Amino acid sequence: MSGWNKRKREIFIPGMDEQKIKTIECKVCGNKITPKKENKYVVKDRVSMGGLNNAFSGQYSEPKLYDAFDCDICGCQMVAKERLKDVDF
């Protein structure tokens, strides 16, 4: 096995080429980051519906939740995907 490392062969594992690590590109500076679990946080969208009329009629919509990351270079917020709420039965 010591000869294997000396020849610098590339190891081929079937199915591993399909699992490429995805990156997110910043729309402001163009920096590409790899999303990591420890850098993720949840943000919510603003709800523009309101007022007494909607309150009395019962038309209340909760804000949508999104996963977000911050750019390492410029600090802009990058929204990744909508997050669904947990349901308790």
Side-chain angles (χ1 to χ4, degrees), residues 46-84:
R46 284 185 272 175
V47 178
S48 60
M49 293 177 59
L52 291 174
N53 190 21
N54 288 335
F56 289 129
S57 66
Q59 295 178 356
Y60 175 72
S61 62
E62 293 187 15
K64 293 183 179 180
L65 301 175
Y66 297 95
D67 288 334
F69 299 92
D70 285 338
C71 179
D72 298 332
I73 304 296
C74 64
C76 289
Q77 186 180 64
M78 295 180 281
V79 177
K81 185 135 175 137
E82 185 178 350
R83 188 163 192 76
L84 301 176

Side-chain angles (χ1 to χ4, degrees), residues 2-14:
S2 62
W4 182 264
N5 291 335
K6 289 180 184 177
R7 289 182 260 170
K8 304 289 183 194
R9 289 188 184 176
E10 186 175 331
I11 300 173
F12 175 73
I13 301 172

Side-chain angles (χ1 to χ4, degrees), residues 13-23:
I13 301 172
M16 287 297 289
D17 55 346
E18 300 169 1
Q19 298 176 355
K20 293 184 180 179
I21 298 173
K22 296 184 179 181
T23 59

